[in-house]
Amino acid sequence: MANLNQFCNFTKIIGIDIAKSVFQIYSCDTQTGEITNVQVKRDKVLESFANYGKCLIGMEACGSSQYWARQLQALGHTVRLMDPKLVKPFVRHNKSDKADAEGIYHALVSGVRAVTVKTETERDIQTLLTMRALLVKQRTARINHVRGLLAEYGHVMPRNVNQFDTKVDECINSLEGDAVQLVINMMRDTVKSIRDDQDRIKTLQREISRLANQTRNAKHFLTVPGVGETIMAYMCVLLADPTQFSSARQFAAYLGLVPMHTGSGGKTVTTKIPGRCDKALRAVLVQGAHAVARSKCRTDWVKNILAKKPKKVAMVAIANRMARQCWAVASKGQDWRRMPVTAA
């Protein structure tokens, strides 16, 4: 049994395995050492915890965990969300709800790194960012669909979204007499849906920026070279509590911007950047790195990395540096200090 002396301020230490209908709750009383592992119906969870004294509660950071964390915190309990990958080694038996709840408890008392519980504003920002990412993906897919179809009729469309929007109507109109009317009508409907998606993206972006500007470090993030409104909104959510990352390098590694390594016998080999990360967010950071590389005024460090490394490697390195700068800004609560720049 785990040593509970460090948790004497809590009446119970609890691990909860979240589910759709029935929650498994593994608890240990810090005074008596009594252990229970019981099932509780979803609609009875808050009612049962309202009758407890102050508890330390651990849960896996998975679907709906943020909601339950906020609800339990409102009852006066302390909640720690943990990465499921870090909890898995503590599950000692064959997989079951009871074993999972016990594993979550042991991970909690062992001090597994916690995930920040989002506020209502941060939750809304994250939701809108997810919606925006889906709309951007759908818009790109539809544009490529129309470009491919028009190529069959001898029209090569530009890849730029604004240029596509300017020229697509003329190209579709030129199909009159060459294609059946249904083909033309369907293309026009697809173009209309692209423009509707574009309007929705702009609306989402305005609301994301408005909500993000209500957070503590929003204006500080915008002082980091390469950080715009979208990256700033992501950072407002990820770095709401920068102390969950022990260093700037750990934060960059979390984003998938630090190469992996492997080794044995004292020899370590650096390999490629990982695929296990939020690839959409990493792509946004790399886009910001491209903006830094194209800037007319660049720091000496940026100029040197562009000269020494292949372009794609340099972009990841610049994105890595941007992530570290954002962590430093959030940790200190200050603007990023301006570095000496050299004209391109």
Side-chain angles (χ1 to χ4, degrees):
M1 183 174 133
N3 181 10
L4 301 179
N5 292 333
Q6 56 180 321
F7 304 114
C8 59
N9 293 329
F10 302 102
T11 59
K12 289 178 179 290
I13 312 299
I14 299 175
I16 303 179
D17 182 41
I18 299 174
K20 293 181 179 178
S21 302
V22 180
F23 287 21
Q24 190 73 35
I25 300 178
Y26 183 100
S27 66
C28 179
D29 191 296
T30 58
Q31 302 299 320
T32 64
E34 179 185 4
I35 293 176
T36 59
N37 197 349
V38 298
Q39 290 184 341
V40 178
K41 294 287 187 180
R42 181 186 181 91
D43 56 355
K44 299 293 184 181
V45 171
L46 295 180
E47 179 182 337
S48 62
F49 277 95
N51 300 323
Y52 293 160
K54 185 178 179 181
C55 300
L56 176 62
I57 302 170
M59 294 186 291
E60 290 181 320
C62 56
S64 78
S65 62
Q66 290 283 342
Y67 166 78
W68 288 108
R70 286 190 296 272
Q71 295 297 315
L72 292 170
Q73 284 180 338
L75 296 176
H77 303 298
T78 299
V79 181
R80 293 181 185 170
L81 302 179
M82 298 169 288
D83 187 336
K85 293 184 179 64
L86 301 180
V87 173
K88 187 176 181 180
F90 292 90
V91 179
R92 302 176 180 176
H93 315 291
N94 294 330
K95 180 170 175 58
S96 65
D97 290 346
K98 287 187 175 182
D100 289 346
E102 182 180 354
I104 292 168
Y105 165 82
H106 288 297
L108 175 65
V109 298
S110 297
V112 168
R113 181 166 61 89
V115 176
T116 303
V117 178
K118 297 182 180 69
T119 64
E120 286 79 1
T121 300
E122 292 161 0
R123 172 202 60 192
D124 292 342
I125 294 171
Q126 183 67 54
T127 301
L128 293 176
L129 285 169
T130 303
M131 292 178 175
R132 180 187 179 278
L134 178 60
L135 283 174
V136 170
K137 184 177 180 179
Q138 291 175 343
R139 181 194 64 182
T140 303
R142 289 193 177 109
I143 288 175
N144 290 335
H145 176 63
V146 174
R147 290 178 68 244
L149 294 176
L150 287 174
E152 294 297 325
Y153 292 90
H155 297 283
V156 179
M157 297 295 297
R159 297 176 64 181
N160 182 277
V161 175
N162 293 330
Q163 293 180 10
F164 173 88
D165 187 60
T166 301
K167 297 181 179 181
V168 67
D169 290 329
E170 180 183 350
C171 291
I172 293 176
N173 292 336
S174 68
L175 298 181
E176 295 285 354
D178 187 24
V180 297
Q181 192 60 40
L182 182 59
V183 170
I184 297 172
N185 292 340
M186 291 300 294
M187 283 192 183
R188 286 172 177 164
D189 289 344
T190 304
V191 171
K192 182 179 181 301
S193 66
I194 292 171
R195 288 170 176 158
D196 290 342
D197 284 347
Q198 185 67 16
D199 292 338
R200 294 170 67 190
I201 290 170
K202 291 178 180 178
T203 301
L204 285 173
Q205 188 62 58
R206 286 194 296 269
E207 185 63 15
I208 289 169
S209 297
R210 186 187 70 81
L211 291 173
N213 283 319
Q214 296 176 9
T215 59
R216 181 179 55 185
N217 291 317
K219 293 182 179 179
H220 300 320
F221 287 133
L222 289 175
T223 63
V224 177
V227 173
E229 295 288 337
T230 302
I231 297 178
M232 177 267 286
Y234 275 110
M235 294 303 166
C236 288
V237 175
L238 288 173
L239 292 174
D241 179 16
T243 59
Q244 73 177 98
F245 301 101
S246 61
S247 65
R249 187 186 188 282
Q250 188 184 64
F251 177 60
Y254 171 79
L255 297 178
L257 294 169
V258 174
M260 298 184 294
H261 63 269
T262 184
S264 179
K267 182 179 180 181
T268 302
V269 179
T270 300
T271 60
K272 60 184 180 180
I273 60 173
R276 190 179 63 186
C277 65
D278 187 339
K279 295 182 181 179
L281 173 55
R282 183 169 65 184
V284 172
L285 285 165
V286 172
Q287 289 175 9
H290 278 280
V292 172
R294 292 193 301 266
S295 174
K296 293 182 179 180
C297 294
R298 295 172 289 186
T299 64
D300 291 336
W301 182 88
V302 172
K303 294 190 71 176
N304 290 336
I305 199 72
L306 289 171
K308 294 179 180 179
K309 298 293 183 180
K311 184 177 180 180
K312 291 184 179 180
V313 175
M315 293 305 106
V316 173
I318 295 172
N320 183 318
R321 189 177 178 88
M322 287 170 53
R324 295 182 183 222
Q325 290 170 341
C326 288
W327 182 88
V329 162
S331 298
K332 296 181 180 180
Q334 300 174 0
D335 291 351
W336 176 250
R337 57 190 178 87
R338 294 298 180 184
M339 301 291 291
V341 297
T342 304

